[in-house]
Amino acid sequence: MGLAVLVACSPAPKQNKFVSYSGPAVTQIVVNKGARRMHLLHGTTVLKSYDIDLGNEPVGAKRYSGDGRTPEGIYFIDRFNPRSAYHLSVGVSYPDVNDKLRAQLVGMDPGGDIFIHGKGPYGKAANRKDWTAGCIAVEDEEIEEIYAMLTTGVPIVINP
């Protein structure tokens, strides 16, 4: 009897990672790396805020592939990956022309594949702060909301 009650009280596993959103359009994303916070805004109104993890070298702007840093600057949401290894992911348009030029001047590849993503199967290993290779990570349930709220072309401002 005790086991039946325990099983009956356990939450059912989530069947669908795609949620819907019908609120105001997100017109900008602001990431404050130092505070480890990301805000989704409609105009000047904050719609949602999230605690974030960053690249494993969180101080300074991304300069080249493999430096472990999260970019700083103004970018745009440019793609969506429903089959992400990190549950779901939303692409950031890094590198831009200036990032490419800066890396080229020192003979390096600027890197790429910067995303806002969940933790996916890396959740337990990702319980430490700043574990990504340069991406912005949130909880899986949070990336589901973010994925539903965003559209391509939304600007993302990443501050130090």
Side-chain angles (χ1 to χ4, degrees), residues 64-77:
Y64 55 85
S65 179
D67 66 5
R69 294 181 176 175
T70 300
E72 295 173 2
I74 301 172
Y75 301 96
F76 298 89
I77 298 305

Side-chain angles (χ1 to χ4, degrees), residues 3-160:
L3 179 59
V5 171
L6 179 61
V7 171
C9 294
S10 298
K14 191 165 185 181
Q15 299 298 317
N16 188 355
K17 62 184 174 182
F18 300 102
V19 299
S20 61
Y21 174 72
S22 59
V26 174
T27 58
Q28 179 175 292
I29 304 164
V30 176
V31 173
N32 294 316
K33 288 173 54 175
R36 304 299 190 280
R37 291 288 285 172
M38 179 173 68
H39 309 282
L40 276 55
L41 292 92
H42 174 78
T44 59
T45 303
V46 175
L47 299 172
K48 292 287 286 197
S49 294
Y50 303 92
D51 290 327
I52 58 172
D53 293 330
L54 301 169
N56 56 37
E57 292 292 334
V59 177
K62 184 161 197 62
R63 297 290 183 231
Y64 55 85
S65 179
D67 66 5
R69 294 181 176 175
T70 300
E72 295 173 2
I74 301 172
Y75 301 96
F76 298 89
I77 298 305
D78 65 354
R79 62 203 182 280
F80 291 81
N81 183 359
R83 294 186 190 101
S84 173
Y86 299 92
H87 193 62
L88 291 170
S89 59
V90 178
V92 175
S93 65
Y94 176 89
D96 65 16
V97 172
N98 291 327
D99 298 317
K100 290 175 185 175
L101 181 59
R102 192 172 18 258
Q104 184 180 38
L105 288 173
V106 294
M108 301 295 287
D109 175 351
D113 284 340
I114 300 297
F115 289 87
I116 302 167
H117 62 65
K119 294 181 178 178
Y122 308 97
K124 289 186 174 136
N127 280 335
R128 64 184 176 87
K129 283 288 186 199
D130 302 330
W131 57 274
T132 78
C135 295
I136 299 163
V138 295
E139 298 295 329
D140 288 350
E141 296 79 19
E142 294 170 334
I143 192 59
E144 291 174 7
E145 288 179 338
I146 294 163
Y147 194 94
M149 293 174 77
L150 297 179
T151 58
T152 56
V154 171
I156 177 169
V157 179
I158 307 173
N159 298 309

